[in-house]
Amino acid sequence: MSTRRPSSRLYLGCAGWSLPREQWPAFALEGTHLQRYGSRFPAVEINSSFYRPHRPATYAKWADSVAGDFRFSVKVPKQITHERRLIDCEGLVDEFLGQCSQLGEKLGCLLIQLPPSLAFDASVAEAFFKTLRDRYQGHAVLEPRHPSWLAPQAATILLDERIGRVAADPSPLPGGDQPAGWPGIRYYRLHGSPRIYYSAYEDAWLGRLAQALKAAPDTPTWCIFDNTASGAATTDALRLMDLIRDRNAPPTTNGQLLWVRP
């Protein structure tokens, strides 16, 4: 079994580090769940931060338990995105960053997922991203789910503030299955389809994804499987890791991922 991980520019992993029992043999036999997970994957997305805060010491402990090239993506709390809806949340942003900053250099990205009901408002978006950028200069991506965020003015704000737009599968937005926003980062977030959070992806689809991920090797690229409800995420991520190393994986068209469900 090969345990070599993909290039450090590709951050491949799952939403959370739970390991299905049937996949245990693919990981280190000893250590915490996170340490075992990190023996194969170079990155993870922390979703629990969306629901509840974690102590700074907890983030520091997580950072200390993984390799130096491991990276965490941390989901911004729902208090900010869903309850305050990006408005007047400076204190909450300070609190959140004070916690997750204890990951140090292993804090690789912030994920800002918006509720489907939150429409684009230029003044709100500009104020929020200014609040964020005054405090945090690292990578950040936005997963909007209201079509108004496709407006040219929204795209301009994302470019100005260096915020990538998530390529989600499935996506409620036209074209939302392709990376957009600031081109300095790509972030694929795969929820499973047709049954969201449950369905596994077929090999032909993963093969095309592997080619898309390799199409821009100099751009930091995240690929997170969020189809965790039935354990499919771990299996899909391991299979994709193998396909990325396989030169015979199916091709793409002009370097773009073919989002075709077999």
Side-chain angles (χ1 to χ4, degrees):
M1 176 186 68
S2 172
T3 59
R4 291 187 61 192
R5 304 190 302 193
S7 163
S8 61
R9 306 294 288 182
L10 174 59
Y11 305 105
L12 169 63
C14 305
W17 51 79
S18 296
L19 299 175
R21 183 177 293 272
E22 62 270 18
Q23 290 293 348
W24 284 5
F27 296 86
L29 298 177
E30 298 181 353
T32 66
H33 289 293
L34 176 56
Q35 288 171 326
R36 295 173 63 207
Y37 171 97
S39 70
R40 292 298 305 276
F41 294 129
V44 73
E45 183 184 278
I46 299 176
N47 268 206
S48 54
S49 55
F50 177 77
Y51 300 100
R52 63 185 185 278
H54 297 298
R55 295 183 299 115
T58 299
Y59 282 107
K61 180 180 179 181
W62 288 338
D64 288 343
S65 69
V66 291
D69 61 348
F70 190 93
R71 293 295 180 265
F72 295 86
S73 173
V74 187
K75 192 172 182 179
V76 170
K78 67 177 182 179
Q79 280 184 294
I80 295 172
T81 57
H82 288 55
E83 296 174 13
R84 293 286 183 89
R85 300 171 72 83
L86 309 183
I87 298 172
D88 296 332
C89 50
E90 291 87 349
L92 291 172
V93 171
D94 286 336
E95 182 181 354
F96 169 63
L97 291 176
Q99 296 160 2
C100 68
S101 65
Q102 297 305 303
L103 291 170
E105 65 180 10
K106 294 173 185 175
L107 173 56
C109 191
L110 297 183
L111 168 66
I112 308 159
Q113 185 190 57
L114 302 182
S117 62
L118 184 54
F120 171 69
D121 181 296
S123 61
V124 170
E126 288 174 344
F128 172 75
F129 289 124
K130 183 178 187 303
T131 294
L132 180 67
R133 283 309 188 199
D134 283 348
R135 296 157 171 82
Y136 170 79
Q137 295 299 311
H139 284 146
V141 293
L142 180 73
E143 186 178 4
R145 291 181 286 175
H146 191 283
S148 60
W149 284 89
L150 299 178
Q153 190 174 6
T156 298
I157 292 173
L158 295 182
L159 285 172
D160 289 345
E161 299 297 344
R162 296 177 293 108
I163 307 292
R165 199 184 78 204
V166 168
D169 180 72
S171 174
L173 306 181
D177 54 3
Q178 295 293 327
W182 182 60
I185 185 171
R186 301 190 303 166
Y187 199 108
Y188 293 86
R189 200 157 188 259
L190 311 176
H191 303 294
S193 182
R195 189 183 181 193
I196 192 169
Y197 305 129
Y198 284 87
S199 293
Y201 290 97
E202 297 192 16
D203 281 356
W205 192 92
L206 291 174
R208 297 185 179 97
L209 173 60
Q211 290 299 313
L213 295 177
K214 293 190 288 186
D218 295 328
T219 301
T221 298
W222 287 74
C223 182
I224 297 295
F225 286 91
D226 189 35
N227 51 341
T228 57
S230 62
T234 305
T235 301
D236 285 348
L238 288 171
R239 178 60 180 140
L240 179 61
M241 185 177 289
D242 289 339
L243 290 169
I244 287 171
R245 301 189 186 101
D246 182 3
R247 295 181 180 179
N248 295 319
T252 59
T253 299
N254 297 325
Q256 293 295 313
L257 172 62
L258 303 179
W259 292 93
V260 177
R261 189 74 49 200

